[in-house]
Amino acid sequence: PDFTYNMRENGNPSTISLRFSEEEKDLGIIMDRDLNFNNHITTIIKKANQMLGITWRTFEYMDKELFLTLYKTIIRPHLEYGAPIWSPHTWKLATEIEKVQKRATKRVPSLRELPYADRLRNLKLPTLVYRRLRGDMINIYKYTKGLYDTKCPGKLATETRTRGHQLKLAKTGARTNVRLHFFTSRTVNWWNNLPEEVVTAPSMNCFKSRFDNHFKDHPVVYNFKALDNPLCPTMSVN
């Protein structure tokens, strides 16, 4: 380490040197010194695959309804817990996460031979990229509506410009990729592009419904690689 950090207890003149660590686990999230979350993502993929194997060894019969119940309650939560913190900005990591769902949907016999996007449409199951985007927007809505009892990390300053909806956010500068892909930076463009009726929804459930309706025809719902970047709202025209 470049520096040595010390901690002193109240009333105790002696100090304790903090040990150097490459990573630490806090509230179930593995934080590494570079904040790329590679190890955390690898770990949750492994856990989800383990649950996937246990589920298929336990249930011999699998139809769409049973699959959705098991997948949404036992497997997918491993891939989404704390996602606003570790949401990947590279296709390599995003693809590895999506492979779990891709593999899982093949377990439904009637859908096994269909392409991944068609399996998702048939199950009405969105991509995990879309799910993480939706989760980010839900959190921004909660912050702007004061539904959290803590302040939003970073600055989510309301813009004074008149273009767009009334709750547009100002994006702060970013000199590093860590800051660029941090929650308070990566969500601004997505939020500012939402229509007025979505961001001004009177309740959380209403916001979710209007958000899903707004994105119902967006390619990213069933094609996880529809975007230029897993966190970017732009799509290149082929």
Side-chain angles (χ1 to χ4, degrees), residues 9 18 23 28 57 74 83 86 101 123 129 132-133 144 153 161 166 169 190 193 195-196 203 224 228 232:
E9 295 183 1
L18 301 180
E23 61 182 31
R57 289 193 296 270
I74 299 177
W86 54 261
Q101 181 165 279
L123 293 167
V129 171
R132 290 193 294 274
L133 163 64
T144 58
R161 301 177 184 177
Q166 300 176 0
L169 304 173
W190 282 107
N193 288 336
E196 181 89 18
S203 67
F224 78 100
D228 293 339
C232 181

Side-chain angles (χ1 to χ4, degrees), residues 17 40 45 50 66 75 88 95 101 118 136 161 175 218 221:
S17 297
H40 176 75
I45 290 174
Q50 288 175 344
L66 179 58
I75 301 167
T95 300
Q101 181 165 279
D118 291 340
D136 280 349
R161 301 177 184 177
R175 296 182 179 180
H218 196 289
V221 177

Side-chain angles (χ1 to χ4, degrees), residues 8-235:
R8 177 179 297 173
E9 295 183 1
N10 292 333
N12 189 344
S14 62
T15 60
I16 302 174
S17 297
L18 301 180
R19 66 182 179 85
F20 175 77
S21 177
E22 288 286 346
E23 61 182 31
E24 291 291 337
K25 190 173 185 179
D26 186 23
L27 298 177
I29 307 296
I30 300 175
M31 312 284 289
D32 58 84
R33 62 180 303 184
D34 297 322
L35 295 179
N36 55 33
F37 298 100
N38 287 353
N39 193 21
H40 176 75
I41 292 175
T42 300
T43 300
I44 64 173
I45 290 174
K46 182 179 180 180
K47 287 182 179 178
N49 280 326
Q50 288 175 344
M51 294 306 301
L52 195 59
I54 292 173
T55 302
W56 306 148
R57 289 193 296 270
T58 304
F59 294 87
E60 295 183 359
Y61 172 77
M62 187 70 64
D63 59 10
K64 292 192 293 185
E65 289 73 20
L66 179 58
F67 166 79
L68 288 172
T69 299
L70 293 173
Y71 178 73
K72 290 180 178 180
T73 57
I74 299 177
I75 301 167
R76 192 170 68 180
H78 288 288
L79 302 172
E80 295 187 332
Y81 173 75
I85 299 174
W86 54 261
S87 189
H89 65 273
T90 64
W91 279 122
K92 179 181 178 181
L93 293 176
T95 300
E96 289 301 313
I97 298 172
E98 201 74 33
K99 282 181 180 178
V100 179
Q101 181 165 279
K102 186 175 183 179
R103 187 182 304 112
T105 54
K106 284 189 175 183
R107 295 292 181 171
V108 182
S110 60
L111 305 177
R112 186 170 298 162
E113 303 303 323
L114 295 177
Y116 179 47
D118 291 340
R119 295 199 299 273
L120 294 182
R121 288 190 182 91
N122 199 290
L123 293 167
K124 295 182 180 179
L125 191 69
T127 64
L128 294 174
V129 171
Y130 173 74
R131 289 278 301 176
R132 290 193 294 274
L133 163 64
R134 184 175 184 266
D136 280 349
M137 295 300 99
I138 289 173
N139 278 288
I140 291 293
Y141 176 84
K142 289 180 177 180
Y143 279 122
T144 58
K145 295 294 184 179
L147 300 180
Y148 282 133
D149 57 3
T150 58
K151 292 183 179 180
C152 180
K155 295 182 179 180
L156 288 174
T158 304
E159 283 193 338
T160 57
R161 301 177 184 177
T162 57
R163 293 184 61 184
H165 57 72
Q166 300 176 0
L167 299 175
K168 287 185 70 176
L169 304 173
K171 192 169 186 177
T172 57
R175 296 182 179 180
T176 64
N177 283 335
V178 172
R179 171 59 63 183
L180 179 64
H181 302 300
F182 187 64
F183 175 78
T184 52
S185 293
R186 71 169 186 262
T187 55
V188 174
N189 289 341
W190 282 107
W191 177 263
N192 289 348
N193 288 336
L194 291 177
E196 181 89 18
E197 63 176 11
V198 175
V199 300
T200 57
S203 67
M204 187 73 262
N205 288 334
C206 182
F207 174 80
K208 293 178 180 179
S209 178
R210 293 181 182 182
F211 182 87
D212 288 334
N213 186 63
H214 175 67
F215 273 88
K216 64 180 180 180
D217 296 322
H218 196 289
V220 75
V221 177
Y222 297 122
N223 178 10
F224 78 100
K225 278 197 171 182
L227 305 175
D228 293 339
N229 178 286
L231 303 178
C232 181
T234 62
M235 293 186 296

